[in-house]
Amino acid sequence: MGAKEGFIQFKRETPVTRDAKARIGDYKEIYEPFGGEKLNNQAARCMDCGIPFCHSGCPLGNVIPDFNDAVYKNEWEQAIKILRSTNNFPEFTGRICPAPCEASCVLGINKDPVAIELIEKNIAEKAYELGLIKANPPKTRTGKSVAVVGSGPAGLAAADQLNQAGHEVTLFEKDSKPGGLLRFGIPDFKLEKWVIDRRIEFMKQEGVIFSCDTEIGFNIKAENILKNFDAVVLSTGAGQPRGLNIKGSDAKGVHFAMEFLGQQNKVVSGEIKENPISAKGKHVIVIGGGDTGSDCIGTSNRHGAASITQLELLPKPPQVRNTLNPWPEWPMTLRTSSSHEEGAERVFSILTKEFVVNEEGQVTGLKLVDLEWVHKDGRMVFEEIAGTERTVPCDLAFLAIGYTGPAQNGLLEAFGAETMENTLPKSKNYQSTNSKVFLAGDMRRGQSLVVWAISEGREAAVKVDEYLMGESNLPQKDESFFQVEEGIID
């Protein structure tokens, strides 16, 4: 360990953001550069705990104290070696991960946790700057071929791992460019797309074949893929958005969040000239209090919305942990994103009742009612508060209330993968009911985090490698450790 009293000597410090009024005029990353001695000091705050809970807090099992120590000592080659041993894409997670590792940092018991996500991002960027990340194609090939369907974080991770194992990997993507929701979901002000392009270029140099604008069932059949490849990995995500079953939800101006965000990313990249859904001058209602809702706020502000209101069914969380939510549980506290800082009203304990629609079928308002959450029969339930029902202006509404499972487009059935009642596919050790077809990411586990998707891709790759070769030398998590700890961390 570098600095024995670093956690006492240095306070947590993170990058400052560009001025909110200035940054809503573009889609560039919002954070100012952060590095040098300040970054070394943040790494010095790591206590090198006897039992590093951050390991199990991270779905990838990142060896966090070790790379923190390397950063403190300016040993960048060692730092990226440690980080890449468990994480294929630290340049992604270092920007967009909610950092469950920080929530489980032991220092967080009575101080601010170590800025792990910041350190991770800077390790990756410093490694690129110093030329430490290079194309590393496998020395030998196995003669086996694998098709990976879906190029989000799970598919990219599976393809990367299987390619390194020596298999010939072809990654099929229905969109024009690879990346999945990394590219066509997460706004550029959180993840600029050159970051994805840079990594994709290295994967191409290492031998991964990308086949974009290729949708199964349209310009290629599942039966042809099953015939021409030795194994298949399905990783197309949880693409079935959850709807809102109230009157008027089918009106013009009511959209799923990704219809708006995906098109805006295409505008930023130059694929299309303008977003068919414009928030300019409109009263925008965002239904759902999570990250996707926050992304709709940031994008609507950049459009020039007249007003933005975010609605959340649940009560407003506390500013700090309470006694019922101790460390190392995930802190159920109020989170204010950079998009919230740019301007939006947030309303909690609120229920949507009905969209008001004019004669042209256009939404013009939204009926709401306040809620009171009460204990009943051992659980929390909500009751409407009499006399609080009202109608608020709404020209444009975004539904950001999650996903129910894989898109219902016949893909799983085409590959012979049976599903459960909840629409998720049946699987055992990442293998579907068709022994040749494997599953990874949100398609298998339901909607989750990018870091979980990368973990899923890595673990599925191990099972595919074992299926093809009888055994695998790919790195694998110690699942027994994670099973013990997950009950504490999650």
Side-chain angles (χ1 to χ4, degrees):
M1 185 173 66
K4 292 184 179 179
E5 297 182 351
F7 64 96
I8 298 173
Q9 185 178 355
F10 305 112
K11 292 183 178 180
R12 178 183 169 101
E13 185 179 358
T14 54
V16 298
T17 56
R18 295 188 289 129
D19 178 72
K21 291 183 179 179
R23 70 183 187 237
I24 62 172
D26 61 53
Y27 289 83
K28 297 184 182 299
E29 187 170 320
I30 67 168
Y31 295 106
E32 299 285 2
F34 189 100
E37 185 179 354
K38 290 195 296 184
L39 186 68
N40 298 138
N41 292 344
Q42 291 308 300
R45 297 184 72 240
C46 181
M47 299 190 296
D48 193 24
C49 307
I51 300 178
F53 278 74
C54 56
H55 281 204
S56 54
C58 173
L60 287 163
N62 284 344
V63 191
I64 294 164
D66 290 30
F67 69 63
N68 281 339
D69 186 53
V71 170
Y72 173 74
K73 296 175 179 176
N74 283 312
E75 296 175 352
W76 296 105
E77 186 171 3
Q78 179 68 1
I80 191 61
K81 181 179 179 181
I82 295 167
L83 184 51
R84 283 295 306 277
S85 70
T86 55
N87 185 354
N88 300 67
F89 312 117
E91 63 269 67
F92 302 163
T93 53
R95 286 174 165 85
I96 58 174
C97 186
C101 54
E102 294 186 15
S104 55
C105 172
V106 175
L107 187 56
I109 295 175
N110 58 6
K111 291 182 181 291
D112 291 331
V114 175
I116 301 168
E117 182 183 20
L118 169 68
I119 294 168
E120 186 173 313
K121 172 188 173 183
N122 278 273
I123 291 173
E125 293 307 317
K126 193 69 175 182
Y128 278 112
E129 177 189 329
L130 298 176
L132 300 175
I133 296 179
K134 302 174 182 177
N136 184 31
K139 293 181 174 62
T140 58
R141 290 289 179 182
T142 63
K144 303 290 186 180
S145 62
V146 182
V148 178
V149 181
S151 68
L156 288 174
D160 194 28
Q161 292 295 97
L162 289 166
N163 181 64
Q164 290 300 318
H167 308 305
E168 184 178 278
V169 180
T170 301
L171 207 159
F172 294 95
E173 170 56 52
K174 66 180 176 61
D175 287 317
S176 57
K177 294 180 181 179
L181 288 185
L182 291 171
R183 185 179 297 277
F184 295 111
I186 297 172
D188 284 60
F189 54 79
K190 290 173 66 174
L191 177 65
E192 292 188 50
K193 303 315 174 229
W194 62 263
V195 178
I196 304 172
D197 294 335
R198 179 178 60 182
R199 172 57 67 184
I200 297 299
E201 184 56 37
F202 276 98
M203 292 179 68
K204 289 179 178 177
Q205 292 175 23
E206 291 172 341
V208 177
I209 301 167
F210 289 85
S211 179
C212 295
D213 287 318
T214 305
E215 187 166 4
I216 312 303
F218 288 86
N219 43 13
I220 189 170
K221 294 183 178 180
E223 60 190 67
N224 291 339
I225 290 179
L226 288 169
K227 178 181 178 181
N228 295 324
F229 290 87
D230 297 305
V232 178
V233 178
L234 300 182
S235 54
T236 58
Q240 192 67 36
R242 179 175 285 108
L244 187 61
N245 188 24
I246 62 173
K247 186 177 179 180
S249 59
D250 58 348
K252 298 174 185 177
V254 180
H255 302 274
F256 291 117
M258 283 303 160
E259 294 174 358
F260 178 54
L261 297 175
Q263 293 298 315
Q264 188 58 44
N265 284 6
K266 290 182 179 180
V267 172
V268 175
S269 68
E271 290 189 51
I272 59 176
K273 288 186 176 181
E274 62 180 27
N275 195 328
I277 304 171
S278 174
K280 185 176 182 179
K282 295 180 180 178
H283 296 291
V284 177
I285 301 287
V286 178
I287 301 173
D291 287 340
T292 303
S294 173
D295 293 343
C296 288
I297 291 171
T299 304
S300 295
N301 270 316
R302 284 160 175 77
H303 275 214
S307 69
I308 306 171
T309 305
Q310 184 177 34
L311 308 180
E312 171 58 67
L313 180 74
L314 298 173
K316 184 177 181 179
Q319 294 284 352
V320 296
R321 289 182 187 267
N322 58 38
T323 55
L324 298 176
N325 179 216
W327 178 93
E329 290 181 352
W330 176 257
M332 304 300 292
T333 55
L334 182 67
R335 286 173 173 76
T336 300
S337 72
S338 61
S339 293
H340 292 131
E341 293 169 353
E342 292 162 2
E345 180 185 2
R346 303 170 74 182
V347 184
F348 295 87
S349 295
I350 197 84
L351 181 67
T352 54
K353 299 285 286 184
E354 176 185 341
F355 286 107
V356 179
V357 184
N358 65 17
E359 294 179 353
E360 288 75 38
Q362 172 67 43
V363 64
T364 61
L366 179 60
K367 291 183 180 180
L368 306 170
V369 65
D370 292 332
L371 302 176
E372 180 181 8
W373 287 84
V374 296
H375 282 282
K376 186 172 288 187
D377 298 327
R379 62 193 184 99
M380 291 291 289
V381 297
F382 64 77
E383 296 177 350
E384 296 183 13
I385 300 176
T388 64
E389 187 167 318
R390 59 201 182 275
T391 300
V392 297
C394 176
D395 306 314
L396 187 61
F398 296 122
L399 308 184
I401 49 180
Y403 294 83
T404 60
Q408 302 303 297
N409 55 9
L411 179 70
L412 288 166
E413 293 83 352
F415 280 100
E418 297 177 9
T419 59
M420 299 181 288
E421 290 183 6
N422 64 1
T423 75
L424 291 177
K426 297 178 181 178
S427 67
K428 183 177 181 181
N429 293 326
Y430 299 88
Q431 194 170 33
S432 76
T433 50
N434 181 343
S435 62
K436 193 175 184 177
V437 178
F438 294 77
L439 306 155
D442 290 4
M443 167 170 265
R444 189 188 80 92
R445 65 178 282 123
Q447 74 167 64
S448 191
L449 307 175
V450 167
V451 67
W452 265 115
I454 296 172
S455 173
E456 287 263 317
R458 289 173 63 89
E459 297 305 305
V462 173
K463 299 306 178 184
V464 174
D465 195 30
E466 290 175 348
Y467 169 79
L468 295 174
M469 308 303 291
E471 60 181 5
S472 178
N473 292 320
L474 289 172
Q476 188 175 11
K477 286 191 309 189
D478 183 352
E479 292 292 348
S480 62
F481 173 75
F482 278 78
Q483 288 167 6
V484 170
E485 295 297 331
E486 275 183 5
I488 301 173
I489 300 300
D490 288 351

Short mmCIF file of all heavy atoms in Angstrom, two decimals, residues 152-187:
data_model
loop_
_atom_site.label_atom_id
_atom_site.label_comp_id
_atom_site.label_asym_id
_atom_site.label_seq_id
_atom_site.Cartn_x
_atom_site.Cartn_y
_atom_site.Cartn_z
N GLY A 152 -24.00 -4.96 -27.93
CA GLY A 152 -23.95 -4.15 -26.73
C GLY A 152 -22.78 -4.61 -25.86
O GLY A 152 -21.94 -5.41 -26.30
N PRO A 153 -22.68 -4.14 -24.63
CA PRO A 153 -21.54 -4.50 -23.78
C PRO A 153 -21.38 -5.99 -23.54
O PRO A 153 -20.25 -6.49 -23.48
CB PRO A 153 -21.80 -3.73 -22.48
CG PRO A 153 -23.24 -3.33 -22.54
CD PRO A 153 -23.58 -3.18 -23.98
N ALA A 154 -22.49 -6.74 -23.43
CA ALA A 154 -22.38 -8.18 -23.23
C ALA A 154 -21.83 -8.86 -24.47
O ALA A 154 -20.93 -9.70 -24.39
CB ALA A 154 -23.75 -8.77 -22.87
N GLY A 155 -22.37 -8.49 -25.64
CA GLY A 155 -21.89 -9.08 -26.89
C GLY A 155 -20.45 -8.73 -27.18
O GLY A 155 -19.66 -9.58 -27.62
N LEU A 156 -20.08 -7.48 -26.94
CA LEU A 156 -18.69 -7.07 -27.17
C LEU A 156 -17.74 -7.82 -26.26
O LEU A 156 -16.66 -8.27 -26.69
CB LEU A 156 -18.56 -5.56 -26.94
CG LEU A 156 -19.19 -4.64 -27.99
CD1 LEU A 156 -19.10 -3.19 -27.52
CD2 LEU A 156 -18.50 -4.80 -29.34
N ALA A 157 -18.11 -7.97 -24.99
CA ALA A 157 -17.24 -8.69 -24.05
C ALA A 157 -17.11 -10.16 -24.42
O ALA A 157 -16.00 -10.72 -24.39
CB ALA A 157 -17.79 -8.54 -22.63
N ALA A 158 -18.23 -10.79 -24.79
CA ALA A 158 -18.18 -12.20 -25.19
C ALA A 158 -17.31 -12.37 -26.44
O ALA A 158 -16.47 -13.28 -26.52
CB ALA A 158 -19.60 -12.72 -25.45
N ALA A 159 -17.49 -11.47 -27.41
CA ALA A 159 -16.71 -11.54 -28.65
C ALA A 159 -15.22 -11.35 -28.37
O ALA A 159 -14.37 -12.06 -28.92
CB ALA A 159 -17.21 -10.49 -29.64
N ASP A 160 -14.91 -10.40 -27.52
CA ASP A 160 -13.51 -10.11 -27.19
C ASP A 160 -12.85 -11.32 -26.53
O ASP A 160 -11.74 -11.73 -26.90
CB ASP A 160 -13.45 -8.90 -26.27
CG ASP A 160 -12.05 -8.32 -26.15
OD1 ASP A 160 -11.26 -8.45 -27.11
OD2 ASP A 160 -11.74 -7.72 -25.10
N GLN A 161 -13.54 -11.91 -25.57
CA GLN A 161 -12.98 -13.06 -24.85
C GLN A 161 -12.84 -14.28 -25.76
O GLN A 161 -11.81 -14.97 -25.73
CB GLN A 161 -13.87 -13.40 -23.64
CG GLN A 161 -13.86 -12.36 -22.53
CD GLN A 161 -12.51 -12.21 -21.87
OE1 GLN A 161 -11.73 -11.31 -22.22
NE2 GLN A 161 -12.21 -13.08 -20.93
N LEU A 162 -13.85 -14.56 -26.55
CA LEU A 162 -13.82 -15.74 -27.42
C LEU A 162 -12.77 -15.59 -28.51
O LEU A 162 -12.12 -16.56 -28.91
CB LEU A 162 -15.20 -15.98 -28.02
CG LEU A 162 -16.25 -16.49 -27.03
CD1 LEU A 162 -17.65 -16.37 -27.60
CD2 LEU A 162 -15.95 -17.94 -26.65
N ASN A 163 -12.60 -14.37 -28.99
CA ASN A 163 -11.53 -14.12 -29.96
C ASN A 163 -10.17 -14.36 -29.35
O ASN A 163 -9.29 -14.96 -29.97
CB ASN A 163 -11.64 -12.68 -30.49
CG ASN A 163 -10.58 -12.38 -31.53
OD1 ASN A 163 -10.56 -12.97 -32.60
ND2 ASN A 163 -9.68 -11.46 -31.21
N GLN A 164 -9.98 -13.90 -28.12
CA GLN A 164 -8.70 -14.12 -27.44
C GLN A 164 -8.45 -15.61 -27.18
O GLN A 164 -7.29 -16.04 -27.08
CB GLN A 164 -8.65 -13.34 -26.12
CG GLN A 164 -8.56 -11.82 -26.30
CD GLN A 164 -7.32 -11.40 -27.07
OE1 GLN A 164 -6.23 -11.92 -26.84
NE2 GLN A 164 -7.48 -10.46 -28.00
N ALA A 165 -9.53 -16.38 -27.07
CA ALA A 165 -9.39 -17.83 -26.90
C ALA A 165 -8.99 -18.52 -28.20
O ALA A 165 -8.71 -19.73 -28.20
CB ALA A 165 -10.68 -18.43 -26.36
N GLY A 166 -9.00 -17.78 -29.32
CA GLY A 166 -8.55 -18.33 -30.59
C GLY A 166 -9.66 -18.71 -31.54
O GLY A 166 -9.39 -19.22 -32.64
N HIS A 167 -10.91 -18.47 -31.16
CA HIS A 167 -12.02 -18.80 -32.06
C HIS A 167 -12.24 -17.66 -33.06
O HIS A 167 -11.92 -16.50 -32.78
CB HIS A 167 -13.30 -19.03 -31.26
CG HIS A 167 -13.14 -20.01 -30.14
ND1 HIS A 167 -12.66 -21.29 -30.35
CD2 HIS A 167 -13.37 -19.91 -28.80
CE1 HIS A 167 -12.63 -21.94 -29.18
NE2 HIS A 167 -13.04 -21.11 -28.23
N GLU A 168 -12.79 -17.99 -34.22
CA GLU A 168 -13.15 -16.96 -35.19
C GLU A 168 -14.53 -16.44 -34.83
O GLU A 168 -15.51 -17.18 -34.86
CB GLU A 168 -13.14 -17.51 -36.60
CG GLU A 168 -13.41 -16.43 -37.64
CD GLU A 168 -13.36 -16.95 -39.07
OE1 GLU A 168 -12.25 -17.07 -39.62
OE2 GLU A 168 -14.45 -17.26 -39.60
N VAL A 169 -14.60 -15.16 -34.49
CA VAL A 169 -15.84 -14.58 -33.98
C VAL A 169 -16.41 -13.58 -34.98
O VAL A 169 -15.71 -12.67 -35.43
CB VAL A 169 -15.60 -13.87 -32.63
CG1 VAL A 169 -16.91 -13.26 -32.11
CG2 VAL A 169 -15.02 -14.84 -31.61
N THR A 170 -17.70 -13.74 -35.30
CA THR A 170 -18.42 -12.77 -36.10
C THR A 170 -19.53 -12.18 -35.24
O THR A 170 -20.34 -12.92 -34.67
CB THR A 170 -19.04 -13.41 -37.35
OG1 THR A 170 -18.00 -14.00 -38.14
CG2 THR A 170 -19.78 -12.37 -38.19
N LEU A 171 -19.54 -10.87 -35.15
CA LEU A 171 -20.51 -10.19 -34.32
C LEU A 171 -21.57 -9.54 -35.23
O LEU A 171 -21.24 -8.67 -36.04
CB LEU A 171 -19.81 -9.13 -33.45
CG LEU A 171 -20.49 -8.77 -32.13
CD1 LEU A 171 -19.49 -8.15 -31.16
CD2 LEU A 171 -21.65 -7.84 -32.34
N PHE A 172 -22.81 -9.98 -35.09
CA PHE A 172 -23.92 -9.48 -35.92
C PHE A 172 -24.66 -8.37 -35.18
O PHE A 172 -25.02 -8.53 -34.00
CB PHE A 172 -24.89 -10.62 -36.26
CG PHE A 172 -24.29 -11.67 -37.15
CD1 PHE A 172 -23.73 -12.83 -36.61
CD2 PHE A 172 -24.27 -11.51 -38.53
CE1 PHE A 172 -23.18 -13.81 -37.42
CE2 PHE A 172 -23.71 -12.48 -39.36
CZ PHE A 172 -23.16 -13.63 -38.80
N GLU A 173 -24.89 -7.26 -35.86
CA GLU A 173 -25.57 -6.10 -35.26
C GLU A 173 -26.60 -5.56 -36.24
O GLU A 173 -26.29 -5.31 -37.41
CB GLU A 173 -24.55 -5.02 -34.91
CG GLU A 173 -25.13 -3.69 -34.50
CD GLU A 173 -26.10 -3.80 -33.33
OE1 GLU A 173 -25.73 -4.39 -32.29
OE2 GLU A 173 -27.24 -3.31 -33.48
N LYS A 174 -27.84 -5.37 -35.77
CA LYS A 174 -28.91 -4.89 -36.65
C LYS A 174 -28.76 -3.41 -37.00
O LYS A 174 -29.25 -2.96 -38.04
CB LYS A 174 -30.27 -5.13 -36.02
CG LYS A 174 -30.56 -4.36 -34.76
CD LYS A 174 -31.95 -4.67 -34.22
CE LYS A 174 -32.22 -3.98 -32.91
NZ LYS A 174 -32.16 -2.51 -32.98
N ASP A 175 -28.09 -2.63 -36.13
CA ASP A 175 -27.92 -1.20 -36.39
C ASP A 175 -26.71 -0.94 -37.28
O ASP A 175 -25.94 -1.85 -37.60
CB ASP A 175 -27.78 -0.44 -35.07
CG ASP A 175 -29.10 -0.34 -34.33
OD1 ASP A 175 -30.13 -0.06 -34.99
OD2 ASP A 175 -29.12 -0.54 -33.10
N SER A 176 -26.54 0.32 -37.65
CA SER A 176 -25.49 0.69 -38.60
C SER A 176 -24.09 0.60 -38.02
O SER A 176 -23.11 0.46 -38.76
CB SER A 176 -25.74 2.11 -39.12
OG SER A 176 -25.79 3.02 -38.03
N LYS A 177 -23.98 0.69 -36.69
CA LYS A 177 -22.67 0.64 -36.03
C LYS A 177 -22.79 -0.19 -34.76
O LYS A 177 -23.86 -0.28 -34.16
CB LYS A 177 -22.18 2.05 -35.69
CG LYS A 177 -21.88 2.93 -36.90
CD LYS A 177 -21.40 4.31 -36.45
CE LYS A 177 -21.10 5.20 -37.64
NZ LYS A 177 -20.65 6.56 -37.22
N PRO A 178 -21.69 -0.80 -34.31
CA PRO A 178 -21.75 -1.61 -33.09
C PRO A 178 -21.79 -0.75 -31.83
O PRO A 178 -21.41 0.42 -31.84
CB PRO A 178 -20.45 -2.43 -33.16
CG PRO A 178 -19.52 -1.61 -34.00
CD PRO A 178 -20.38 -0.87 -34.98
N GLY A 179 -22.26 -1.38 -30.76
CA GLY A 179 -22.29 -0.70 -29.47
C GLY A 179 -23.60 -0.86 -28.73
O GLY A 179 -23.66 -0.66 -27.52
N GLY A 180 -24.69 -1.19 -29.43
CA GLY A 180 -25.98 -1.35 -28.77
C GLY A 180 -26.40 -0.06 -28.09
O GLY A 180 -26.26 1.03 -28.64
N LEU A 181 -26.88 -0.18 -26.84
CA LEU A 181 -27.34 1.01 -26.12
C LEU A 181 -26.18 1.91 -25.70
O LEU A 181 -26.40 3.08 -25.37
CB LEU A 181 -28.16 0.61 -24.90
CG LEU A 181 -29.56 0.04 -25.19
CD1 LEU A 181 -30.32 -0.21 -23.90
CD2 LEU A 181 -30.36 0.96 -26.09
N LEU A 182 -24.96 1.39 -25.71
CA LEU A 182 -23.81 2.27 -25.48
C LEU A 182 -23.79 3.37 -26.55
O LEU A 182 -23.48 4.53 -26.26
CB LEU A 182 -22.50 1.48 -25.56
CG LEU A 182 -22.20 0.47 -24.46
CD1 LEU A 182 -20.97 -0.35 -24.84
CD2 LEU A 182 -21.99 1.16 -23.13
N ARG A 183 -24.15 2.99 -27.78
CA ARG A 183 -24.10 3.93 -28.89
C ARG A 183 -25.46 4.60 -29.13
O ARG A 183 -25.52 5.81 -29.38
CB ARG A 183 -23.66 3.22 -30.18
CG ARG A 183 -23.47 4.19 -31.35
CD ARG A 183 -23.00 3.47 -32.59
NE ARG A 183 -21.70 2.84 -32.44
CZ ARG A 183 -20.55 3.47 -32.58
NH1 ARG A 183 -20.51 4.76 -32.87
NH2 ARG A 183 -19.41 2.80 -32.45
N PHE A 184 -26.53 3.83 -29.08
CA PHE A 184 -27.83 4.36 -29.45
C PHE A 184 -28.78 4.52 -28.26
O PHE A 184 -30.00 4.53 -28.44
CB PHE A 184 -28.47 3.49 -30.53
CG PHE A 184 -27.71 3.48 -31.82
CD1 PHE A 184 -27.04 2.34 -32.25
CD2 PHE A 184 -27.62 4.63 -32.60
CE1 PHE A 184 -26.33 2.34 -33.44
CE2 PHE A 184 -26.90 4.64 -33.79
CZ PHE A 184 -26.26 3.50 -34.21
N GLY A 185 -28.25 4.64 -27.07
CA GLY A 185 -29.08 4.85 -25.89
C GLY A 185 -28.50 5.88 -24.95
O GLY A 185 -29.16 6.84 -24.58
N ILE A 186 -27.24 5.69 -24.58
CA ILE A 186 -26.59 6.60 -23.63
C ILE A 186 -26.16 7.87 -24.36
O ILE A 186 -25.46 7.79 -25.37
CB ILE A 186 -25.37 5.91 -22.99
CG1 ILE A 186 -25.85 4.69 -22.18
CG2 ILE A 186 -24.60 6.88 -22.10
CD1 ILE A 186 -24.73 3.82 -21.66
N PRO A 187 -26.56 9.04 -23.88
CA PRO A 187 -26.23 10.29 -24.58
C PRO A 187 -24.72 10.54 -24.65
O PRO A 187 -23.96 10.08 -23.80
CB PRO A 187 -26.92 11.38 -23.73
CG PRO A 187 -27.98 10.65 -22.97
CD PRO A 187 -27.44 9.28 -22.71
#
